[in-house]
């Protein structure tokens, strides 16, 4: 490794902990309440009651206690990779259009089977 490589090494090493400790603040700007998730690859839609936007990260692993690693933490888009010990894993990207409308792309393994979907989630009102 040359001198140029050694100079960049401390920067690269310090960047990893920053990503792992990211705040995901964009998800906190989403309106809580009842949301409808419309899946693009099918005519299906699902309803979800959000306490906060973080509930959208694990739609295929709801209720599981999973370890998360933040890949991207932007003002309008976040990407999180997560692992649910003994129950699969996933990678989800959420792009905010408004506090009541987001685009979701997710893929991974759930219940031993692969999944991949793109969806639009829209706030519909209070949870029912």
């Amino acid at each position: 490794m040359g001198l140029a490589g050694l100079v960049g090494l401390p920067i690269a090493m310090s960047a990893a902990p920053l990503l792992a400790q990211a705040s995901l603040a964009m998800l906190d700007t989403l309106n809580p309440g009842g949301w409808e998730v419309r899946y693009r690859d099918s005519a299906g839609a699902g309803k979800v009651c959000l306490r906060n936007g973080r509930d959208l990260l694990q739609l295929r692993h709801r209720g599981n206690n999973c370890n998360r690693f933040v890949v991207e933490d932007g003002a309008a888009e976040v990407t999180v990779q997560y692992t649910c010990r003994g129950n699969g894993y996933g990678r989800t990207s959420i792009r905010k259009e408004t506090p009541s409308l987001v685009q979701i792309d997710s893929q991974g393994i759930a219940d031993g089977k692969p999944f991949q979907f793109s969806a639009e989630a829209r706030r519909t009102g209070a949870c029912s």
Side-chain angles (χ1 to χ4, degrees), residues 52-120:
N52 60 56
R54 295 163 200 270
D55 292 340
L56 294 172
L57 288 172
Q58 297 175 208
L59 290 174
R60 291 288 194 262
H61 294 94
R62 280 191 224 164
N64 289 321
N65 187 15
C66 304
N67 294 323
R68 295 178 180 169
F69 178 78
V70 177
V71 177
E72 179 182 359
D73 186 19
E77 186 166 1
V78 299
T79 300
V80 173
Q81 190 162 319
Y82 62 89
T83 302
C84 308
R85 179 168 277 172
N87 197 24
Y89 59 88
R91 181 181 178 110
T92 302
S93 293
I94 301 174
R95 182 174 47 87
K96 175 181 151 183
E97 293 188 17
T98 72
S100 298
L101 177 65
V102 296
Q103 304 300 320
I104 304 169
D105 288 300
S106 189
Q107 62 183 10
I109 302 288
D111 299 322
K113 297 178 184 170
F115 70 86
Q116 180 177 6
F117 68 85
S118 290
E120 179 175 273

